[in-house]
Amino acid sequence: MFLTRISAHAAARQLDPRATDLLTAALAELGLSEPIPDTVHHAFVRPQWRYRLVYRATTAILECASAHREHADSGTLDLEPLLHASRRACSDIIRAHWMRGTIPFDRRHRVNAVRTHTRRVVNRVRWAERSLDADPANNLPAHARRWLTIADRYMECRIGALLDDVEPSVARRT
């Protein structure tokens, strides 16, 4: 747990202190005029270990903007930094059920439902990454919007419904 806290602060320090300004500029560059949700902005006001997924999602969005800019300027596309940032964020999505701390330990059926949902979200993100080569101009903004949605819902403690295009988790007892 202590190492997780250290790595969360390290992830927050890797971002520029004006991370929300950079995020706003990146979203505008990608053609997404939606403002940064207040919940996501709150994660940058006071870095905490449980917000590590938000920092990593922000890094993925910034890499989307960088790849979009590179593709528009030179016509080439280097997705390796984006895929690396995305892999790191996906590993935090898998651990979202305990990083956020919203599910009591005695609710194993809810944990199982959330784990199933997070695996579906990771599969959806990886599937979307495979389509980035085909049409980067259209797919990079959609990918950035997907990461912004994940970060926003994570901050709202909606870890059982991180994305709309996957089935939401249903708590059920077996």
Side-chain angles (χ1 to χ4, degrees), residues 90-142:
C90 284
S91 70
D92 284 342
I93 289 174
I94 294 294
R95 291 189 294 268
H97 67 281
W98 67 265
M99 283 178 60
R100 191 63 186 146
T102 56
I103 301 174
F105 289 118
D106 61 340
R107 304 291 186 210
R108 195 73 189 155
H109 62 285
R110 289 176 57 194
V111 170
N112 290 337
V114 169
R115 279 184 180 172
T116 302
H117 175 71
T118 56
R119 280 189 230 114
R120 289 179 186 151
V121 169
V122 168
N123 286 338
R124 177 66 178 113
V125 167
R126 289 182 181 158
W127 177 82
E129 287 171 351
R130 285 185 229 121
S131 66
L132 291 176
D133 283 331
D135 188 12
N138 290 332
N139 293 336
L140 281 169

Side-chain angles (χ1 to χ4, degrees), residues 49-90:
W49 68 272
R50 66 178 180 227
Y51 301 152
R52 185 170 68 175
L53 174 59
V54 177
Y55 309 141
R56 297 236 171 115
T58 301
T59 304
I61 293 170
L62 295 175
E63 291 296 337
C64 282
S66 175
H68 190 267
R69 185 179 327 109
E70 177 185 345
H71 179 69
D73 292 346
S74 63
T76 61
L77 187 63
D78 181 21
L79 291 177
E80 190 57 37
L82 171 61
L83 296 178
H84 179 69
S86 183
R87 261 184 263 129
R88 293 182 76 182
C90 284

